[in-house]
Amino acid sequence: MTLPFIIFAGVAGLMFLPICFSVARAMCLYAVVSECQSQVFTLFGKVVGVLDEPGLHFPIGQFGAQALLIPFFGRREVVSTALRQHYLRGQMVNSEEGTPMGVGIWYEMQVNDPVAYLFVNTNPEGSLQANVASSTISTLSNLEMDKMLEDRHSLSRSVRTTVSPLSEKWGYRLGSVYIRKVFFTDQQMVHNITDKVVKRLVQVTSAMKQDGENRVGLIRSETAYKVSQKMAEASAARPAYVGAALNDIAKQDSEILEAVMDVMETEKLLESDASIDILPSSSNVLVQLGDR
């Protein structure tokens, strides 16, 4: 056996191996189940078994020899059990005031019974979508607009409680449900509400500005009052301190006290802008006044 023949045989074997595995899997000799996946095997219209554990399985060992008939008289259905999310836009409802409103609702679902999911309902996801939409409309219709806009968490729980029993019957579990958006469909009403909101914001802004100015004025007046109070206290205390200082000076030297008093008296005269007549010390005061 030559080397080229061995290489050719090896390459041919490697190419033939995937075909062999595909044929074996088609004949249900083995099955590979992926994560978040279930495989339902049917024979003559009846369910033979379900493989929902990830990994390699051998249907003959689990379902018996009838597994060999599945490729010819049965089917293998692959069902995804991964969590799926959906969003329904623009569900129309009317508020208690008669205002037309649009609602957007988000929900998630997961298959927990692959057999019921395949055979109980021919269109389970479409039925779930219709069920969620109808439950949302029935829950939110004729509610007060304030409750519809502000209390969406409890409304979402109400929708989930309404839809969950029927979804369990259809083979899947309804996860979280949340009303994400409630909006006005009448544009004129949107403009009116926008104008009201803008006016209210202007009023609130003006009120906040006025309150700030009032607070600043109050702080200024309180500060001015405290300053004037301290200045008055200082003015009231000044004579006592000056008198004490003059007494100390008088005790030490009376001439210095007299000089200080003369200086103070001269300053007062200068501040008063009074006219001053200076007379020689040797003249008679009364005579000089008479000459004038």
Side-chain angles (χ1 to χ4, degrees):
M1 185 176 296
T2 60
L3 180 61
F5 178 77
I6 295 174
I7 295 175
F8 175 77
V11 173
L14 291 176
M15 294 178 63
F16 186 68
L17 194 59
I19 298 174
C20 293
F21 280 121
S22 298
V23 172
R25 186 168 55 186
M27 297 301 293
C28 288
L29 297 179
Y30 79 95
V32 177
V33 180
S34 303
E35 290 286 345
C36 299
Q37 184 187 85
S38 293
Q39 296 184 7
V40 180
F41 294 84
T42 61
L43 181 63
F44 300 117
K46 294 183 179 180
V47 177
V48 175
V50 179
L51 299 178
D52 52 7
E53 292 293 332
L56 179 63
H57 298 270
F58 298 96
I60 296 178
Q62 301 189 25
F63 310 142
Q66 60 181 351
L68 297 176
L69 301 177
I70 292 176
F72 307 101
F73 306 104
R75 291 187 306 173
R76 178 175 58 180
E77 301 284 353
V78 179
V79 179
S80 173
T81 57
L83 189 66
R84 281 171 273 184
Q85 300 176 343
H86 302 274
Y87 183 60
L88 301 179
R89 302 176 185 272
Q91 304 301 311
M92 299 303 299
V93 297
N94 288 325
S95 66
E96 187 183 45
E97 299 83 358
T99 305
M101 308 284 290
V103 177
I105 184 167
W106 170 89
Y107 66 92
E108 58 186 10
M109 55 88 70
Q110 185 177 24
V111 175
N112 61 348
D113 186 350
V115 177
Y117 178 77
L118 288 175
F119 303 110
V120 173
N121 193 322
T122 56
N123 185 12
E125 295 194 17
S127 299
L128 175 62
Q129 179 176 336
N131 198 8
V132 171
S134 61
S135 298
T136 302
I137 294 172
S138 61
T139 303
L140 272 68
S141 292
N142 298 322
L143 287 179
E144 295 179 0
M145 188 182 299
D146 293 343
K147 184 176 179 59
M148 193 181 300
L149 293 173
E150 299 174 359
D151 200 12
R152 286 181 283 176
H153 292 287
S154 62
L155 295 175
S156 301
R157 288 195 294 270
S158 300
V159 173
R160 186 179 186 279
T161 303
T162 305
V163 177
S164 290
L166 196 56
S167 65
E168 294 286 344
K169 187 184 300 183
W170 290 341
Y172 46 77
R173 181 174 53 251
L174 186 64
S176 300
V177 178
Y178 184 63
I179 299 172
R180 291 179 58 186
K181 187 176 182 181
V182 178
F183 57 95
F184 296 99
T185 56
D186 188 348
Q187 292 300 320
Q188 184 60 39
M189 181 171 290
V190 174
H191 293 319
N192 294 337
I193 292 175
T194 303
D195 292 339
K196 289 182 180 179
V197 171
V198 171
K199 291 179 181 177
R200 181 58 180 161
L201 287 175
V202 171
Q203 291 176 353
V204 172
T205 303
S206 301
M208 292 175 64
K209 184 178 180 181
Q210 185 61 44
D211 183 66
E213 292 177 351
N214 293 339
R215 289 177 182 271
V216 171
L218 181 61
I219 293 172
R220 286 179 177 174
S221 62
E222 289 179 351
T223 304
Y225 169 74
K226 291 181 180 178
V227 171
S228 61
Q229 186 179 16
K230 294 297 181 183
M231 291 296 292
E233 291 176 359
S235 299
R238 181 173 179 274
Y241 287 108
V242 172
L246 293 177
N247 288 331
D248 292 339
I249 293 173
K251 291 178 182 178
Q252 295 176 3
D253 192 339
S254 59
E255 292 182 355
I256 294 176
L257 177 60
E258 292 178 357
V260 171
M261 296 301 292
D262 290 341
V263 171
M264 293 175 64
E265 184 178 359
T266 303
E267 289 181 348
K268 290 295 182 183
L269 288 173
L270 293 175
E271 291 176 356
S272 63
D273 295 331
S275 60
I276 301 174
D277 293 331
I278 300 175
L279 299 177
S281 58
S282 59
S283 61
N284 189 334
V285 176
L286 296 177
V287 174
Q288 294 183 13
L289 289 175
D291 295 340
R292 298 179 62 184

